[in-house]
Amino acid sequence: MRAKNNTLVFLSGCALVLLAACKGPATGGSDGKDTAAAVAVTDTLNPKNFEAVINGKNTKLYTLTNKSGASVSITNYGGRVVSLMVPDKAGKLVDVVLGYDSVQTYQKKGEPYFGAIIGRYGNRIAKGKFTVGGKAYQADVNDGVNTLHGGRKGFFGQVFDAEQSGQTLNLTYTSPDGEGGYPGKLTVKVTYTLTDDNALKIEYTANTDKETIVNLTNHAYFNLNGAGDSTILNNTLMIAADGITPVDTTLIPTGKIQPVKGTPFDFTTAKAIGKDIGTTDEQLKNGKGYDHNFVLNKNDGSKPIAIASSPVTGITMEVYTVEPGLQFYSGNFLTGATHDGKGGKAYVLRSAFCLETQHFPDSPNQPAFPSTVLKPGQTYHTSSTYKFLNK
Ligand code: BGC
């Protein structure tokens, strides 16, 4: 959708300290009654572990701290949110995102995009094929037969130029014409701001010199019990969406919009993520759990489009955006196979959820979906805010 003056507005060494011991092993039943949870606190991420030279550029760790002591640490390697410390109901700071404590671990094969900026195209494009400006393109295929999160040259592995000013971090990256198979030189700016009311605001702008497609998001993995061993099955979630875009077995949308009413996908009223995740349902089977684009009800960005909450820490997260979609992913591909999470944690199945604000997956091949085309002279602009409350 085009707004005035040619702006394109897309509608629509980290030590982990266990504070609260669990009653038993942090297990996740599918009944949503899992109350066992280890509350983990990152007390010192060692910035030295983020100093490296990657792709000929320096990487570092940047920490934004607000006046109440909440903080977010971000590396310019992939623009990744490494830790996010917010107060729980007792006022103690809890790290609510999964991540690693060195930049090298973020470079490992199969790393699941922890906290990364995702581009050029968030989520999947069927077989990596699309046509824009009258020309057919082939993006890098990196997820079975499809392209996921920009392909192997995606922004998650690029080094951004960074400039911190108080509680704001500006990250910029110029993606050369043809990178990952996408047309146009794309100049991207991502601004992270940690406000004094405990909100992490992420603003994205992009410009191109050739007609192209863009769909930017952030891939933070949240666990409001505190990042660690527990599952998120007891975290409650509300999503203001009456429909989803159902997918095939390769997670490509069929093109239909499916109402959530009467299905496990009805999060219009808050419920535990684990409540219906074990239900026999074709879509849950295709996604191996929740891994779907929710079609957000009309909103102007002033009200939360999603609210998640932990019964253990009392931490509530509100999500705001003007994007038309939200990918709710319930961490179905986390396995706990390695113990290289922050503080030596193994991130087990469903130990985090992602709420990725976005345009719909495979939009370039679905004429009925909101457009992701960006033309020279237009400015892509979008934002998402994750706000934390502790009542
Ligand atoms: C996708 C999942 C994928 C995950 C990590 C999510 O955005 O929808 O299918 O496994 O990212 O790659």
Side-chain angles (χ1 to χ4, degrees):
M1 241 189 232
R2 195 95 53 90
K4 287 189 263 161
N5 61 31
N6 237 10
T7 301
L8 191 79
V9 178
F10 284 115
L11 254 192
S12 61
C14 156
L16 282 164
V17 180
L18 289 181
L19 271 189
C22 358
K23 289 192 186 111
T27 51
S30 60
D31 59 358
K33 293 193 187 105
D34 169 16
T35 49
V39 178
V41 168
T42 305
D43 73 337
T44 48
L45 263 176
N46 186 351
K48 286 239 168 311
N49 294 342
F50 290 84
E51 288 171 13
V53 178
I54 299 174
N55 305 341
K57 287 175 158 181
N58 291 319
T59 63
K60 266 181 72 170
L61 188 70
Y62 299 83
T63 298
L64 317 177
T65 307
N66 72 9
K67 69 170 187 239
S68 59
S71 66
V72 58
S73 292
I74 298 159
T75 172
N76 58 326
Y77 175 69
R80 291 161 182 268
V81 175
V82 177
S83 80
L84 182 52
M85 306 289 298
V86 295
D88 70 3
K89 60 189 172 195
K92 267 184 196 121
L93 292 175
V94 174
D95 186 1
V96 292
V97 294
L98 271 51
Y100 300 120
D101 42 25
S102 79
V103 73
Q104 284 79 21
T105 322
Y106 281 99
Q107 289 183 284
K108 74 174 182 178
K109 200 166 177 273
E111 182 283 318
Y113 309 93
F114 280 160
I117 293 168
I118 300 295
R120 295 185 183 197
Y121 197 94
N123 216 277
R124 292 177 176 78
I125 297 178
K127 303 197 168 59
K129 291 185 191 304
F130 62 94
T131 297
V132 68
K135 273 186 83 177
Y137 293 93
Q138 175 66 60
D140 179 39
V141 166
N142 64 332
D143 183 65
V145 295
N146 301 319
T147 293
L148 174 65
H149 297 331
R152 275 163 294 202
K153 289 261 163 79
F155 294 172
F156 61 89
Q158 303 297 345
V159 181
F160 289 70
D161 291 326
E163 218 179 277
Q164 181 175 356
S165 162
Q167 289 166 222
T168 294
L169 182 69
N170 283 309
L171 298 176
T172 49
Y173 175 68
T174 301
S175 173
D177 185 15
E179 187 173 56
Y182 298 90
K185 180 169 105 175
L186 192 76
T187 312
V188 178
K189 181 171 172 189
V190 180
T191 302
Y192 284 104
T193 303
L194 183 66
T195 66
D196 283 330
D197 61 351
N198 294 341
L200 178 64
K201 181 163 192 196
I202 314 175
E203 282 179 278
Y204 307 81
T205 60
N207 295 95
T208 184
D209 65 357
K210 231 184 232 175
E211 194 163 335
T212 192
I213 54 169
V214 191
N215 190 23
L216 305 181
T217 190
N218 175 277
H219 213 309
Y221 281 69
F222 297 99
N223 185 330
L224 302 182
N225 298 331
D229 308 300
S230 82
T231 74
I232 42 75
L233 297 171
N234 69 346
N235 284 199
T236 60
L237 180 63
M238 183 286 292
I239 306 178
D242 294 336
I244 59 161
T245 50
V247 289
D248 66 15
T249 54
T250 73
L251 294 173
I252 293 293
T254 60
K256 298 198 179 99
I257 310 267
Q258 181 176 299
V260 296
K261 207 172 176 358
T263 78
F265 291 82
D266 190 351
F267 283 90
T268 53
T269 307
K271 67 177 178 186
I273 292 173
K275 181 164 181 281
D276 299 322
I277 205 168
T279 308
T280 306
D281 175 276
E282 194 198 0
Q283 283 304 311
L284 283 175
K285 191 172 164 211
N286 288 353
K288 300 190 169 47
Y290 296 106
D291 191 354
H292 292 78
N293 173 63
F294 282 67
V295 178
L296 297 173
N297 298 340
K298 206 166 159 27
N299 92 96
D300 63 1
S302 64
K303 289 206 187 90
I305 50 93
I307 304 176
S309 203
S310 159
V312 179
T313 58
I315 296 172
T316 292
M317 178 176 80
E318 297 178 342
V319 185
Y320 297 80
T321 190
V322 289
E323 285 294 304
L326 181 77
Q327 188 78 15
F328 166 39
Y329 169 57
S330 53
N332 313 313
F333 296 107
L334 296 172
T335 62
T338 52
H339 289 258
D340 54 7
K342 283 178 282 186
K345 293 290 169 193
Y347 294 137
V348 300
L349 177 74
R350 299 185 178 142
S351 54
F353 63 86
C354 303
L355 294 175
E356 303 153 61
T357 61
Q358 62 183 10
H359 268 50
F360 305 171
D362 202 30
S363 296
N365 297 308
Q366 295 287 352
F369 288 178
S371 170
T372 53
V373 172
L374 181 70
K375 295 181 179 167
Q378 298 176 332
T379 297
Y380 169 95
H381 181 232
T382 193
S383 69
S384 24
T385 297
Y386 299 89
K387 184 173 178 187
F388 296 89
L389 312 162
N390 58 343
K391 285 180 232 143

Coordinates of all heavy atoms in Angstrom, one line a residue, residues 267-332:
F267 N -6.7 -18.6 19.3 CA -6.0 -17.9 20.4 C -6.7 -16.5 20.7 O -6.0 -15.7 21.3 CB -4.5 -17.7 20.2 CG -3.7 -19.0 20.4 CD1 -3.5 -19.9 19.3 CD2 -3.2 -19.3 21.6 CE1 -2.8 -21.1 19.5 CE2 -2.5 -20.5 21.8 CZ -2.3 -21.4 20.7
T268 N -7.9 -16.4 20.2 CA -8.5 -15.0 20.3 C -8.8 -14.7 21.8 O -8.8 -13.5 22.2 CB -9.8 -15.0 19.5 OG1 -10.7 -16.1 19.9 CG2 -9.6 -15.0 18.0
T269 N -8.9 -15.8 22.6 CA -8.9 -15.6 24.1 C -7.7 -16.3 24.6 O -7.4 -17.4 24.1 CB -10.2 -16.3 24.7 OG1 -11.3 -15.8 24.0 CG2 -10.3 -16.0 26.1
A270 N -7.0 -15.7 25.5 CA -5.7 -16.3 26.0 C -5.9 -17.7 26.5 O -6.9 -18.0 27.2 CB -5.1 -15.4 27.1
K271 N -5.0 -18.6 26.1 CA -4.9 -20.0 26.6 C -3.5 -20.4 26.7 O -2.6 -19.8 26.0 CB -5.8 -20.9 25.7 CG -5.2 -21.1 24.3 CD -6.1 -22.1 23.5 CE -5.5 -22.2 22.1 NZ -6.3 -23.1 21.2
A272 N -3.2 -21.5 27.4 CA -1.9 -22.0 27.5 C -1.5 -22.5 26.1 O -2.3 -23.2 25.5 CB -1.8 -23.1 28.5
I273 N -0.2 -22.3 25.7 CA 0.2 -22.8 24.4 C 0.1 -24.3 24.3 O -0.2 -24.8 23.3 CB 1.7 -22.3 24.2 CG1 1.8 -20.8 24.0 CG2 2.3 -23.0 23.0 CD1 3.2 -20.2 23.9
G274 N 0.3 -24.9 25.5 CA 0.2 -26.4 25.5 C -1.2 -27.0 25.5 O -1.4 -28.2 25.3
K275 N -2.2 -26.1 25.7 CA -3.5 -26.6 25.9 C -4.0 -27.6 24.7 O -4.5 -28.7 25.0 CB -4.5 -25.5 26.0 CG -5.9 -25.9 26.3 CD -6.8 -24.8 26.8 CE -8.2 -25.3 27.0 NZ -9.0 -25.4 25.8
D276 N -3.9 -27.1 23.5 CA -4.4 -27.9 22.4 C -3.3 -28.4 21.4 O -3.6 -29.0 20.4 CB -5.4 -27.0 21.5 CG -6.6 -26.6 22.4 OD1 -7.0 -27.4 23.2 OD2 -7.0 -25.4 22.2
I277 N -2.0 -28.2 21.8 CA -1.0 -28.5 20.9 C -0.9 -30.0 20.5 O -0.4 -30.4 19.5 CB 0.4 -28.0 21.4 CG1 1.4 -27.7 20.3 CG2 1.0 -28.9 22.5 CD1 2.6 -26.9 20.6
G278 N -1.4 -30.9 21.4 CA -1.4 -32.3 21.2 C -2.6 -32.8 20.5 O -2.7 -34.0 20.2
T279 N -3.5 -31.9 20.1 CA -4.7 -32.3 19.4 C -4.4 -32.9 18.0 O -3.5 -32.5 17.3 CB -5.6 -31.1 19.2 OG1 -5.8 -30.4 20.4 CG2 -7.0 -31.4 18.6
T280 N -5.2 -33.9 17.6 CA -5.1 -34.4 16.2 C -5.7 -33.4 15.3 O -6.9 -33.1 15.3 CB -5.8 -35.8 16.1 OG1 -5.3 -36.6 17.1 CG2 -5.6 -36.4 14.7
D281 N -4.9 -32.9 14.4 CA -5.3 -31.8 13.5 C -4.3 -31.7 12.4 O -3.1 -31.8 12.6 CB -5.3 -30.5 14.3 CG -5.6 -29.2 13.5 OD1 -4.6 -28.7 12.8 OD2 -6.7 -28.8 13.4
E282 N -4.8 -31.7 11.2 CA -4.0 -31.7 10.0 C -2.9 -30.6 10.0 O -1.7 -30.8 9.7 CB -4.8 -31.6 8.7 CG -4.0 -32.0 7.5 CD -4.7 -31.5 6.2 OE1 -5.8 -30.9 6.3 OE2 -4.1 -31.8 5.1
Q283 N -3.3 -29.4 10.4 CA -2.4 -28.3 10.4 C -1.3 -28.4 11.4 O -0.2 -28.1 11.2 CB -3.2 -26.9 10.5 CG -3.9 -26.5 9.2 CD -2.9 -26.4 8.1 OE1 -1.8 -25.8 8.2 NE2 -3.2 -27.0 6.9
L284 N -1.7 -28.9 12.6 CA -0.7 -29.1 13.7 C 0.3 -30.2 13.2 O 1.4 -30.1 13.6 CB -1.4 -29.5 15.0 CG -2.1 -28.4 15.8 CD1 -2.8 -28.9 17.0 CD2 -1.0 -27.3 16.2
K285 N -0.3 -31.2 12.5 CA 0.6 -32.2 12.0 C 1.6 -31.7 11.0 O 2.8 -31.9 11.1 CB -0.3 -33.3 11.3 CG 0.4 -34.6 11.0 CD -0.5 -35.6 10.6 CE 0.2 -36.7 9.9 NZ -0.5 -37.4 8.8
N286 N 1.1 -30.9 10.0 CA 2.0 -30.3 9.0 C 3.1 -29.4 9.7 O 4.2 -29.4 9.2 CB 1.2 -29.4 8.0 CG 0.4 -30.3 7.1 OD1 0.5 -31.5 7.1 ND2 -0.5 -29.7 6.3
G287 N 2.7 -28.7 10.7 CA 3.7 -27.8 11.4 C 4.5 -28.4 12.5 O 5.3 -27.8 13.1
K288 N 4.2 -29.7 12.8 CA 4.8 -30.4 14.0 C 4.5 -29.6 15.2 O 5.3 -29.6 16.2 CB 6.3 -30.6 13.8 CG 6.6 -31.5 12.5 CD 8.1 -31.9 12.5 CE 8.3 -32.9 11.5 NZ 7.8 -32.6 10.1
G289 N 3.4 -28.9 15.2 CA 3.0 -28.0 16.3 C 2.5 -26.7 15.7 O 2.2 -26.7 14.5
Y290 N 2.6 -25.6 16.4 CA 2.2 -24.4 15.8 C 3.4 -23.8 15.0 O 4.5 -23.7 15.6 CB 1.8 -23.3 16.9 CG 0.6 -23.7 17.6 CD1 0.6 -24.2 18.9 CD2 -0.7 -23.6 17.0 CE1 -0.5 -24.6 19.6 CE2 -1.8 -24.0 17.7 CZ -1.7 -24.5 19.0 OH -2.9 -24.8 19.7
D291 N 3.2 -23.6 13.7 CA 4.3 -23.0 12.9 C 3.5 -22.3 11.7 O 3.6 -22.7 10.6 CB 5.3 -24.0 12.4 CG 6.5 -23.4 11.8 OD1 6.5 -22.2 11.6 OD2 7.4 -24.1 11.4
H292 N 2.7 -21.3 12.1 CA 1.7 -20.8 11.1 C 1.6 -19.3 11.1 O 1.9 -18.7 12.2 CB 0.3 -21.4 11.5 CG 0.2 -22.9 11.2 ND1 0.7 -23.8 12.1 CD2 -0.3 -23.6 10.2 CE1 0.5 -25.0 11.6 NE2 -0.1 -24.9 10.4
N293 N 1.2 -18.8 10.0 CA 1.0 -17.4 9.9 C -0.4 -17.0 10.3 O -1.4 -17.6 9.7 CB 1.2 -16.9 8.4 CG 0.8 -15.5 8.2 OD1 1.4 -14.6 8.7 ND2 -0.2 -15.3 7.3
F294 N -0.6 -16.2 11.3 CA -1.9 -15.8 11.7 C -2.2 -14.5 11.0 O -1.4 -13.6 10.9 CB -1.9 -15.6 13.3 CG -2.0 -16.9 14.0 CD1 -0.9 -17.8 14.0 CD2 -3.1 -17.2 14.8 CE1 -1.0 -19.0 14.7 CE2 -3.2 -18.4 15.4 CZ -2.2 -19.3 15.4
V295 N -3.4 -14.5 10.5 CA -3.9 -13.3 9.7 C -4.5 -12.3 10.7 O -5.6 -12.6 11.3 CB -5.0 -13.7 8.7 CG1 -5.5 -12.5 7.9 CG2 -4.4 -14.7 7.7
L296 N -3.7 -11.3 11.0 CA -4.1 -10.4 12.1 C -5.4 -9.6 11.8 O -5.6 -9.2 10.6 CB -3.0 -9.4 12.4 CG -1.7 -10.1 13.0 CD1 -0.6 -9.1 13.1 CD2 -2.0 -10.8 14.3
N297 N -6.3 -9.5 12.8 CA -7.5 -8.7 12.6 C -7.0 -7.2 12.3 O -5.9 -6.8 12.8 CB -8.4 -8.8 13.8 CG -8.9 -10.2 14.0 OD1 -8.8 -11.0 13.1 ND2 -9.3 -10.5 15.2
K298 N -7.8 -6.5 11.6 CA -7.5 -5.1 11.3 C -7.0 -4.4 12.6 O -7.6 -4.5 13.6 CB -8.8 -4.4 10.8 CG -8.5 -3.3 9.9 CD -9.8 -2.9 9.2 CE -9.9 -1.6 8.6 NZ -8.7 -0.9 8.2
N299 N -5.9 -3.7 12.5 CA -5.4 -3.0 13.6 C -4.5 -1.8 13.1 O -3.9 -1.9 12.1 CB -4.6 -3.9 14.6 CG -3.1 -4.0 14.2 OD1 -2.3 -3.3 14.9 ND2 -2.7 -4.8 13.3
D300 N -4.5 -0.8 14.0 CA -3.7 0.4 13.6 C -2.4 0.5 14.3 O -1.7 1.6 14.3 CB -4.6 1.7 13.8 CG -4.9 1.9 15.2 OD1 -4.5 1.1 16.1 OD2 -5.6 2.9 15.5
G301 N -2.0 -0.5 15.0 CA -0.7 -0.5 15.7 C -0.8 0.0 17.2 O 0.1 0.0 17.9
S302 N -2.0 0.5 17.5 CA -2.1 1.1 18.9 C -2.5 0.0 20.0 O -2.3 0.3 21.2 CB -3.2 2.2 18.9 OG -4.4 1.7 18.6
K303 N -3.0 -1.1 19.5 CA -3.4 -2.2 20.5 C -2.5 -3.4 20.3 O -2.1 -3.7 19.2 CB -4.8 -2.6 20.3 CG -5.8 -1.5 20.7 CD -7.2 -2.2 21.0 CE -8.2 -1.2 21.3 NZ -9.0 -0.9 20.0
P304 N -2.2 -4.1 21.4 CA -1.4 -5.3 21.2 C -2.1 -6.3 20.3 O -3.3 -6.6 20.4 CB -1.2 -5.9 22.6 CG -2.1 -5.2 23.5 CD -2.6 -3.9 22.8
I305 N -1.4 -6.9 19.3 CA -1.9 -8.0 18.5 C -1.7 -9.3 19.0 O -2.2 -10.3 18.6 CB -1.4 -7.8 17.0 CG1 0.1 -7.8 17.0 CG2 -2.0 -6.6 16.3 CD1 0.9 -9.0 16.8
A306 N -0.8 -9.4 20.0 CA -0.6 -10.6 20.8 C -0.1 -10.3 22.2 O 0.5 -9.3 22.4 CB 0.5 -11.5 20.1
I307 N -0.5 -11.2 23.1 CA -0.1 -11.0 24.5 C 0.3 -12.4 25.1 O -0.6 -13.3 25.0 CB -1.2 -10.4 25.4 CG1 -1.7 -9.1 24.8 CG2 -0.8 -10.2 26.8 CD1 -2.9 -8.5 25.6
A308 N 1.5 -12.5 25.6 CA 1.9 -13.8 26.2 C 2.2 -13.5 27.6 O 2.6 -12.4 28.0 CB 3.1 -14.3 25.4
S309 N 2.1 -14.6 28.4 CA 2.3 -14.4 29.9 C 2.8 -15.7 30.5 O 2.5 -16.8 30.1 CB 1.0 -14.0 30.5 OG 1.1 -13.3 31.6
S310 N 3.7 -15.5 31.5 CA 4.2 -16.7 32.3 C 3.5 -16.7 33.7 O 3.7 -15.8 34.4 CB 5.7 -16.7 32.4 OG 6.1 -17.5 33.5
P311 N 2.9 -17.9 34.0 CA 2.4 -18.0 35.4 C 3.5 -18.1 36.4 O 3.2 -18.0 37.6 CB 1.5 -19.3 35.3 CG 2.1 -20.1 34.2 CD 2.7 -19.1 33.2
V312 N 4.7 -18.4 36.0 CA 5.8 -18.6 37.0 C 6.4 -17.3 37.3 O 6.6 -17.0 38.5 CB 6.9 -19.5 36.3 CG1 8.0 -19.7 37.3 CG2 6.3 -20.8 35.9
T313 N 6.8 -16.4 36.3 CA 7.5 -15.2 36.6 C 6.5 -14.0 36.7 O 6.9 -12.9 37.1 CB 8.5 -14.9 35.5 OG1 7.8 -14.8 34.3 CG2 9.6 -15.9 35.4
G314 N 5.3 -14.2 36.2 CA 4.4 -13.0 36.1 C 4.7 -12.1 35.0 O 4.1 -11.0 34.9
I315 N 5.7 -12.4 34.2 CA 6.1 -11.5 33.0 C 5.1 -11.7 31.9 O 4.7 -12.8 31.5 CB 7.5 -11.9 32.5 CG1 8.5 -11.6 33.6 CG2 7.8 -11.1 31.3 CD1 9.9 -12.0 33.3
T316 N 4.6 -10.5 31.5 CA 3.7 -10.5 30.3 C 4.3 -9.7 29.2 O 5.0 -8.7 29.4 CB 2.4 -9.8 30.7 OG1 1.7 -10.6 31.7 CG2 1.4 -9.5 29.6
M317 N 4.2 -10.2 28.0 CA 4.7 -9.5 26.8 C 3.6 -9.1 25.9 O 2.8 -10.0 25.5 CB 5.7 -10.4 26.1 CG 6.3 -9.8 24.9 SD 7.6 -10.9 24.1 CE 6.6 -12.1 23.2
E318 N 3.6 -7.9 25.5 CA 2.6 -7.4 24.5 C 3.3 -7.2 23.2 O 4.4 -6.6 23.2 CB 1.9 -6.1 25.0 CG 1.1 -6.2 26.2 CD 0.5 -4.9 26.7 OE1 1.0 -3.8 26.2 OE2 -0.4 -4.9 27.5
V319 N 2.7 -7.5 22.1 CA 3.3 -7.3 20.8 C 2.5 -6.4 20.0 O 1.3 -6.6 19.9 CB 3.5 -8.7 20.0 CG1 4.3 -8.5 18.7 CG2 4.2 -9.7 20.9
Y320 N 3.2 -5.4 19.4 CA 2.5 -4.4 18.6 C 3.1 -4.4 17.2 O 4.3 -4.5 17.1 CB 2.7 -3.0 19.2 CG 2.1 -2.8 20.5 CD1 2.7 -3.2 21.7 CD2 0.8 -2.1 20.7 CE1 2.2 -3.0 22.9 CE2 0.3 -1.9 22.0 CZ 1.0 -2.4 23.1 OH 0.4 -2.2 24.3
T321 N 2.3 -4.2 16.2 CA 2.8 -4.1 14.8 C 1.7 -3.5 13.9 O 0.6 -3.6 14.2 CB 3.4 -5.4 14.3 OG1 4.1 -5.2 13.0 CG2 2.2 -6.4 14.0
V322 N 2.1 -3.1 12.7 CA 1.1 -2.8 11.7 C 1.2 -3.8 10.5 O 0.5 -3.7 9.5 CB 1.3 -1.3 11.1 CG1 0.9 -0.3 12.1 CG2 2.7 -1.1 10.6
E323 N 2.0 -4.8 10.7 CA 2.1 -5.9 9.7 C 0.8 -6.7 9.7 O 0.1 -6.8 10.7 CB 3.3 -6.8 10.0 CG 4.6 -6.3 9.8 CD 4.9 -6.1 8.3 OE1 4.7 -7.1 7.5 OE2 5.2 -5.0 7.9
P324 N 0.5 -7.3 8.5 CA -0.8 -8.0 8.4 C -0.7 -9.4 9.0 O -1.7 -10.0 9.3 CB -1.0 -8.1 6.9 CG 0.3 -8.0 6.3 CD 1.2 -7.1 7.2
G325 N 0.5 -9.9 9.3 CA 0.6 -11.3 9.7 C 1.5 -11.5 10.9 O 2.4 -10.6 11.2
L326 N 1.4 -12.6 11.6 CA 2.3 -13.0 12.7 C 2.5 -14.5 12.6 O 1.6 -15.3 12.6 CB 1.5 -12.7 14.0 CG 2.3 -13.0 15.3 CD1 3.4 -11.9 15.5 CD2 1.4 -13.1 16.5
Q327 N 3.8 -14.8 12.5 CA 4.2 -16.3 12.5 C 4.3 -16.7 14.0 O 5.2 -16.2 14.7 CB 5.5 -16.5 11.8 CG 5.9 -17.9 11.6 CD 5.2 -18.6 10.4 OE1 4.5 -17.9 9.6 NE2 5.2 -19.9 10.4
F328 N 3.4 -17.6 14.4 CA 3.6 -18.2 15.7 C 4.2 -19.5 15.5 O 3.6 -20.4 14.9 CB 2.2 -18.3 16.4 CG 2.2 -19.1 17.6 CD1 3.2 -19.1 18.5 CD2 1.1 -20.0 17.9 CE1 3.2 -19.9 19.7 CE2 1.1 -20.8 19.0 CZ 2.2 -20.7 19.9
Y329 N 5.4 -19.6 16.1 CA 6.2 -20.9 15.9 C 6.5 -21.4 17.4 O 7.0 -20.6 18.2 CB 7.5 -20.5 15.2 CG 8.6 -21.6 15.2 CD1 8.3 -22.9 14.8 CD2 9.9 -21.4 15.7 CE1 9.2 -23.9 14.8 CE2 10.8 -22.4 15.7 CZ 10.5 -23.7 15.3 OH 11.4 -24.6 15.3
S330 N 6.1 -22.6 17.6 CA 6.2 -23.1 19.0 C 7.5 -23.9 19.3 O 7.5 -24.8 20.2 CB 5.0 -23.9 19.4 OG 4.7 -24.9 18.5
G331 N 8.6 -23.6 18.6 CA 9.9 -24.2 18.9 C 9.9 -25.7 18.6 O 10.6 -26.4 19.3
N332 N 9.2 -26.1 17.5 CA 9.0 -27.5 17.3 C 10.3 -28.2 16.7 O 10.4 -29.4 16.7 CB 7.9 -27.7 16.2 CG 6.7 -26.9 16.6 OD1 6.3 -26.9 17.7 ND2 6.2 -26.2 15.6

